[in-house]
Amino acid sequence: MNSLFLTLLSLISAYQYYSYQEIIDTFKKLEVDHTDIFKLYYPIKNLDNLRYLDCGDEECQFFYAEFAQNPNVNDLPTVLIAAGFHGDEVIGQNVVTELAKYLTSESKLEFLNNRRIILYPMVNPYGYYHKVREEMGKDANRDFNIDNPSSICFQTNAARGLAQVYNKYIIQLGITFHGGDNSISYSWGTYNHKQNGLATESPDDSAMAMIASIMRDIAAENTHLQIQKYSMGRMTDLVYEVNGGYEDWAYAAGWEKTNSCGNRNSEEYSKPSSNARALTYLIEAGFQKQPKSNTLGTIETTNQILQNWPPLHFYDEKILTKYQQGYGNINRNFLASLSLIDLVKPYLIVKWDGEKELILNFGGCYSITKLTIIRSDNTSIIKDQNTTGIWDQFNKGYVIPNITKNDLFEINYQCDVQNFKTQRNPDPKKSPQSYFVQSRINNTYEYQFDKYLIQNTNKILFRINVSQLNKTQMNQLFENQQFSIYVTQSSKEDQDQQININSNSNNKKQHIWWLLAIFILLSFVLTILLYKYCSKKQEEQVMEMYTIQNEVKL
């Protein structure tokens, strides 16, 4: 019976591939239903000299979505999740569409309140519609003005459209999904940054490697569905080097030498290039460009895992064993995307037992340095301690014992500063260049582009009034930082016990699914019985009429 239930559950909530038109319809409906937090933009609408691209009876649609709980706040850190440079590599388009549905759902995660997320589901809609790699014979992922000696670039509508995102926002972190390999890679991936057959080290290599390892670990393997763990490294080493690749352009066009794209010097080309300093990852989402539908996974498995977010070491590994058929290609890339979104901004998670103990967990961080905690009465001062953030596998949280409801605390710390400063042999020999890293290592950093702003997070400050901690205050801003509060049942609870508490609510949801499955089965059985009953009655009526007719003849 249990296996029958899981089979029914997987059928009900299984991910499926979207068609070109279904992706468009999904995003347009989300905009209508969530107009205050979800808005669509059409980046090539006002550009000149575009190629006409047909998607059926209409011109192909280029669009992206902006998700933000507070869209008018100008200093929200911004993440770009893009897919579909190559139209026949189809996992990413579906991951981005499912992510859009999740972000606008009622079950969205708390840290999303302080992020701006740009979702670009089909960079090359022509390719997705026609199930081909290129845009009418041109590869959009060779069409950017970086390490492109031909000085011919931005010829595709796809490249020109994506560049306009950088003409509007300050992108700090990004992913682009591809297919045909199984890796997470990062700069360098150009010919001009290659020595002895291998990629040289970029000025932001330490940060890039750390974040890649987090995405790799959370995007866990599932050997039951032949899904292998991602390899990670630089693009030249794992994939291959190219001229005019998007990922290196998005990272380095703002400070690396670029060409003028065939002497076209308009703002359409120069402005987004000068604003491109985003740590950008290439995810080759599996060896098959279009994996079988039964390897995509289920919505239920995603929801189960996210109940214990933030993961890497918070999610219940038993879920992956229980839902072997349900943890698939969409699930793992969904989680990789969320981990990148998490990391774009530091935040604080406070767990309180309601009596004596606070446990601090540092979100958006791997390592914490110069942690200083001052109690208002100065009876307890912790100064310049080092600890770990939620993405470090040894993280246990930082405990403040013997508190009272009248305590006030001031908490200061730095997030990943030392890790990001350490570059062995950068090429070129520069300090880190990305917006993301500079904002963390430089305590005077500030960058403004149009109405958007990045400020330093080198020194992070929170103030906590213990008397105000309660279950209704799940999201608050202190000193323009994010602050999440959880009230636990016991100061002695460890992570496994916390997971068990959450699993109780999971069990309740499972009971609901059981009832739904039973209802569906009963409905199916009753339908069959009713059909048989009606058929039998009809047969009896026909026989009765036949008998009467025979009697009349006699």
Side-chain angles (χ1 to χ4, degrees):
M1 185 67 179
N2 188 50
S3 61
L4 176 62
F5 167 71
L6 290 176
T7 301
L8 285 170
L9 186 61
S10 65
L11 290 173
I12 293 169
S13 66
Y15 288 122
Q16 300 293 330
Y17 284 117
Y18 291 88
S19 69
Y20 163 84
Q21 191 59 49
E22 286 172 339
I23 291 177
I24 293 173
D25 293 343
T26 298
F27 273 80
K28 287 185 174 180
K29 186 177 188 306
L30 291 175
E31 182 183 40
V32 171
D33 294 344
H34 305 279
T35 185
D36 55 331
I37 60 173
F38 194 85
K39 183 173 176 59
L40 297 185
Y41 293 91
Y42 300 88
I44 69 170
K45 185 176 181 180
N46 298 316
L47 300 183
D48 297 326
N49 302 316
L50 293 168
R51 305 199 300 172
Y52 181 85
L53 304 172
D54 71 280
C55 289
D57 296 331
E58 299 180 351
E59 189 171 7
C60 298
Q61 295 191 43
F62 290 80
F63 66 93
Y64 65 87
E66 175 190 355
F67 169 84
Q69 294 285 356
N70 305 291
N72 295 323
V73 176
N74 68 347
D75 64 346
L76 292 178
T78 302
V79 177
L80 170 61
I81 312 292
F85 266 100
H86 298 144
D88 59 344
E89 301 167 5
V90 300
I91 284 293
Q93 295 91 325
N94 293 274
V95 171
V96 176
T97 303
E98 292 295 346
L99 188 57
K101 291 170 66 176
Y102 178 79
L103 294 177
T104 52
S105 72
E106 293 300 320
S107 59
K108 55 189 172 291
L109 302 171
E110 294 162 7
F111 71 85
L112 297 173
N113 291 337
N114 293 280
R115 309 288 193 278
R116 192 186 313 277
I117 303 164
I118 309 301
L119 302 173
Y120 208 132
M122 294 186 290
V123 174
N124 172 14
Y126 175 91
Y128 193 68
Y129 180 86
H130 292 280
K131 299 180 174 60
V132 297
R133 175 183 174 89
E134 298 179 334
E135 180 189 291
M136 286 184 63
K138 292 188 180 296
D139 192 331
N141 203 32
R142 309 290 187 272
D143 200 26
F144 291 82
N145 60 332
I146 188 164
D147 192 29
N148 203 334
S150 65
S151 294
I152 298 173
C153 42
F154 289 124
Q155 295 183 306
T156 61
N157 293 6
R160 293 175 68 182
L162 185 55
Q164 293 313 301
V165 177
Y166 294 79
N167 206 4
K168 179 176 175 62
Y169 304 99
I170 308 172
I171 308 298
Q172 295 186 43
L173 296 176
I175 290 173
T176 174
F177 284 106
H178 286 254
D181 204 339
N182 194 66
S183 61
I184 299 175
S185 58
Y186 46 88
S187 296
W188 293 110
T190 58
Y191 285 96
N192 65 336
H193 291 292
K194 177 181 177 182
Q195 292 179 4
N196 301 321
L198 297 174
T200 55
E201 176 186 330
S202 78
D204 291 84
D205 190 77
S206 294
M208 286 185 172
M210 187 200 79
I211 294 173
S213 68
I214 289 170
M215 289 194 291
R216 175 200 59 189
D217 289 345
I218 194 173
E221 64 184 356
N222 183 0
T223 54
H224 187 77
L225 294 178
Q226 287 77 52
I227 296 174
Q228 299 180 21
K229 188 173 184 177
Y230 280 130
S231 56
M232 57 164 279
R234 299 166 192 150
M235 284 181 284
T236 294
D237 304 342
L238 288 187
V239 189
Y240 45 74
E241 65 274 22
V242 299
N243 295 123
Y246 162 71
E247 293 82 14
D248 284 309
W249 176 88
Y251 164 57
W255 54 274
E256 180 86 323
K257 182 180 179 181
T258 58
N259 63 50
S260 60
C261 289
N263 297 319
R264 292 177 293 179
N265 293 312
S266 71
E267 275 201 348
E268 179 195 334
Y269 308 101
S270 60
K271 189 175 180 181
S273 295
S274 66
N275 197 39
R277 291 173 178 257
L279 300 186
T280 304
Y281 294 86
L282 165 62
I283 297 186
E284 293 277 356
F287 292 111
Q288 294 179 324
K289 293 184 177 181
Q290 182 169 338
K292 295 179 181 179
S293 295
N294 64 358
T295 68
L296 298 183
T298 67
I299 300 168
E300 174 66 12
T301 302
T302 296
N303 291 337
Q304 287 282 320
I305 293 174
L306 292 182
Q307 286 190 13
N308 292 315
W309 188 277
L312 192 53
H313 308 286
F314 285 65
Y315 72 82
D316 188 349
E317 293 183 4
K318 293 179 181 178
I319 292 175
L320 300 184
T321 301
K322 182 177 181 181
Y323 292 97
Q324 288 181 328
Q325 294 285 0
Y327 180 79
N329 284 293
I330 288 182
N331 303 91
R332 69 166 180 163
N333 291 299
F334 192 108
L335 295 178
S337 300
L338 282 178
S339 68
L340 192 79
I341 294 167
D342 181 291
L343 286 160
V344 78
K345 182 177 182 179
Y347 60 101
L348 184 64
I349 303 169
V350 176
K351 296 183 179 181
W352 181 44
D353 67 350
E355 297 179 0
K356 298 179 179 179
E357 188 174 77
L358 284 181
I359 302 177
L360 307 180
N361 275 281
F362 301 93
C365 297
Y366 184 87
S367 64
I368 302 299
T369 57
K370 296 187 177 180
L371 171 65
T372 300
I373 303 174
I374 302 175
R375 198 192 300 258
S376 57
D377 60 6
N378 288 329
T379 58
S380 175
I381 298 176
I382 302 168
K383 187 173 182 179
D384 289 345
Q385 297 289 314
N386 294 337
T387 185
T388 58
I390 62 171
W391 294 104
D392 188 304
Q393 62 177 319
F394 301 109
N395 173 65
K396 297 293 184 182
Y398 196 92
V399 178
I400 307 178
N402 302 320
I403 67 166
T404 70
K405 291 185 177 181
N406 296 320
D407 281 335
L408 301 173
F409 292 96
E410 183 172 281
I411 301 170
N412 294 273
Y413 64 94
Q414 293 181 327
C415 176
D416 295 323
V417 172
Q418 296 305 317
N419 284 357
F420 293 168
K421 280 185 174 180
T422 305
Q423 305 296 140
R424 295 176 297 276
N425 188 27
D427 173 29
K429 294 189 180 301
K430 294 176 177 278
S431 62
Q433 296 294 303
S434 67
Y435 298 127
F436 175 78
V437 175
Q438 276 294 319
S439 69
R440 295 206 179 183
I441 68 174
N442 186 344
N443 60 13
T444 62
Y445 187 76
E446 182 173 298
Y447 176 75
Q448 187 162 4
F449 179 76
D450 289 348
K451 66 178 181 179
Y452 298 110
L453 175 70
I454 298 178
Q455 293 180 306
N456 75 83
T457 54
N458 179 265
K459 294 183 178 180
I460 303 163
L461 170 67
F462 291 99
R463 293 190 177 95
I464 300 178
N465 185 337
V466 176
S467 66
Q468 294 177 356
L469 300 185
N470 60 67
K471 291 183 180 180
T472 63
Q473 295 174 293
M474 296 301 288
N475 280 285
Q476 300 183 34
L477 293 178
F478 290 83
E479 301 292 331
N480 296 319
Q481 302 296 334
Q482 186 173 330
F483 188 71
S484 296
I485 302 167
Y486 298 84
V487 181
T488 62
Q489 294 182 357
S490 169
S491 63
K492 302 302 182 183
E493 286 179 334
D494 59 18
Q495 291 177 6
D496 292 334
Q497 289 173 317
Q498 186 65 37
I499 289 172
N500 290 334
I501 292 170
N502 288 328
S503 67
N504 291 335
S505 62
N506 296 349
N507 291 334
K508 292 179 181 178
K509 290 195 173 184
Q510 288 178 4
H511 293 157
I512 295 173
W513 282 108
W514 270 105
L515 292 173
L516 179 60
I518 292 170
F519 174 78
I520 293 172
L521 282 173
L522 288 175
S523 300
F524 181 74
V525 172
L526 288 173
T527 301
I528 293 175
L529 292 175
L530 183 61
Y531 174 80
K532 288 185 176 180
Y533 174 79
C534 292
S535 298
K536 186 175 182 181
K537 292 295 292 183
Q538 186 176 13
E539 183 180 349
E540 289 175 354
Q541 289 175 355
V542 171
M543 292 298 298
E544 184 178 353
M545 290 179 63
Y546 179 80
T547 303
I548 293 171
Q549 288 175 354
N550 286 340
E551 289 176 353
V552 170
K553 288 180 180 180
L554 293 173

